[in-house]
Amino acid sequence: MGNATVRAFVVTGPGRAGVRDVPAPVAGAGEVVVDVERAGVCGTDADFFAGDMTYLHTGQAAYPLRIGHEWAGVVSAVGSGVDSGWAGRRVTGDTMLGCGRCARCLGGRQHLCADRYEIGIRNGWPGALATQLPVPVRALHVLPPSVDAVLGALVEPGANAVRAVRAAALSPGDRLLVLGPGTIGLLCAQVAAAAGVEVHLLGREQPTLDFARSLGFRSVWTSASLPALPFDAVIDASGASVLPARAVELVEPGRRVVFIGISGEPSPIDSRELVFKDVTAVGVLSGSGGLEGAIERYASGAVDPRPLVAATVGLDEVADVLAGRRRPEWGAAPKIHVDPRR
């Protein structure tokens, strides 16, 4: 047992990565081991591969890295103190793993715990681009039968979108502008539309705009074509350094801007604009608190994120995906999934 290994995608430095045999995870106290059926590749993973991710420069992450934090799978082993009924259950889980003891964790803000692990991201917790993944049982969420592995691996990004739309505090009939029609932006648009909100999207590249329209969104704009409408909320899901300030400029006075995109460089806003417009600005970090909401929306069919998945590849193709080498036949859908069993 001690010599068992699993296949995992390992990033060893900027632009350097490959598939390796690594020691198989063992379920510690309060933990399970999950056989990963599907994992998503995210912009954060690409930033780690490129060497740009902030955590690499703050000491919260270091090479070699085992990335991947959007996943679904089946519990194959349980550790001490874990109900044996978890074995065989289909699950996904929270990325953020707080210590469970500090004031933030005890106050419901475990995703902001100073000592937290983040699966595949922070403080060395191994990620889901592997055939097996260790997870604390407290982070697990059960997937109902109608939420398969594809949907299950979209729960984490969907949970981010649920939290962002929730933070926008919109009512049916209100008008939302989403900046950046990538995975999170499109999921925000889908979640908001399912709640009866009038959704507008702002983007740059024609294939991306056309893809957003293919999902049924008619109000898709560029900066040049954006109509002068009052927006009851603006969600910045772009990662562009100039757009947070633009969000404040575009939102109706007295309403909300939500920041969920992260720029690679400082993205300043003028606090005077917030004051003079009486605007509420909200930052959203992670899907913690939104996972059940995403699962419920997928299970009911209120939100169908399947079209966002362009392709599913094996571990051996992940490096190409992270380097931005996409096959033309994949089209403009933003999300790539990985089946580690391939």
Side-chain angles (χ1 to χ4, degrees), residues 153-175:
L154 286 162
V155 165
E156 195 276 341
N160 278 269
V162 167
R163 287 195 64 214
V165 173
R166 210 180 271 160
L170 294 161
S171 299
D174 282 350
R175 183 181 291 125

Side-chain angles (χ1 to χ4, degrees), residues 8-302:
F9 183 80
V10 183
V11 184
T12 54
R16 299 196 306 274
V19 181
R20 293 184 175 179
D21 290 327
V22 300
V26 176
E31 295 176 5
V32 305
V33 172
V34 172
D35 290 348
V36 181
E37 294 180 308
R38 199 65 49 93
V41 176
C42 153
T44 302
D45 299 320
D47 288 344
F48 272 128
F49 182 72
D52 298 334
M53 207 285 179
T54 303
Y55 285 180
L56 291 168
H57 310 295
T58 59
Q60 295 170 77
Y63 300 118
L65 270 166
R66 303 250 308 268
I67 58 175
H69 58 277
E70 307 171 1
W71 56 271
V74 178
V75 176
S76 59
V78 301
S80 62
V82 177
D83 186 334
S84 61
W86 279 102
R89 300 189 87 171
R90 298 181 54 256
V91 294
T92 187
D94 200 340
T95 299
M96 311 301 239
L97 311 177
C99 71
R101 299 179 301 276
C102 69
R104 293 178 192 173
C105 286
L106 296 174
R109 294 175 292 145
Q110 59 89 25
H111 66 296
L112 301 170
C113 172
D115 296 324
R116 72 185 179 273
Y117 293 94
E118 297 178 24
I119 290 176
I121 298 175
R122 190 178 193 263
N123 285 339
W125 195 282
L129 293 181
T131 50
Q132 289 189 324
L133 172 71
V135 189
V137 70
R138 68 179 184 276
L140 295 180
H141 290 256
V142 176
L143 296 176
S146 57
V147 178
D148 64 6
V150 175
L151 292 175
L154 286 162
V155 165
E156 195 276 341
N160 278 269
V162 167
R163 287 195 64 214
V165 173
R166 210 180 271 160
L170 294 161
S171 299
D174 282 350
R175 183 181 291 125
L176 167 68
L177 176 63
V178 179
L179 309 180
T183 298
I184 299 295
L186 290 170
L187 285 165
C188 287
Q190 289 187 313
V191 169
V197 171
E198 178 189 318
V199 176
H200 295 249
L201 287 141
L202 179 72
R204 272 190 321 191
E205 296 168 4
Q206 199 59 48
T208 306
L209 302 176
D210 290 342
F211 179 74
R213 291 188 184 99
S214 78
L215 296 177
F217 296 107
R218 295 192 299 275
S219 301
V220 180
W221 317 102
T222 63
S223 291
S225 66
L226 184 68
L229 293 169
F231 294 105
D232 299 300
V234 180
I235 297 175
D236 173 32
S238 70
S241 62
V242 298
L243 284 184
R246 185 86 171 116
V248 177
E249 181 186 322
L250 289 167
V251 74
E252 271 289 279
R255 302 308 295 262
R256 291 187 168 216
V257 289
V258 180
F259 302 117
I260 192 166
I262 302 173
S263 170
E265 55 191 347
S267 48
I269 59 174
D270 187 340
S271 63
R272 294 171 298 181
E273 284 289 308
L274 295 176
V275 173
F276 291 138
K277 293 184 73 171
D278 200 25
V279 165
T280 300
V282 186
V284 172
L285 177 71
S286 90
S288 298
L291 291 146
E292 280 304 319
I295 292 168
E296 288 164 9
R297 285 164 176 81
Y298 295 174
S300 71

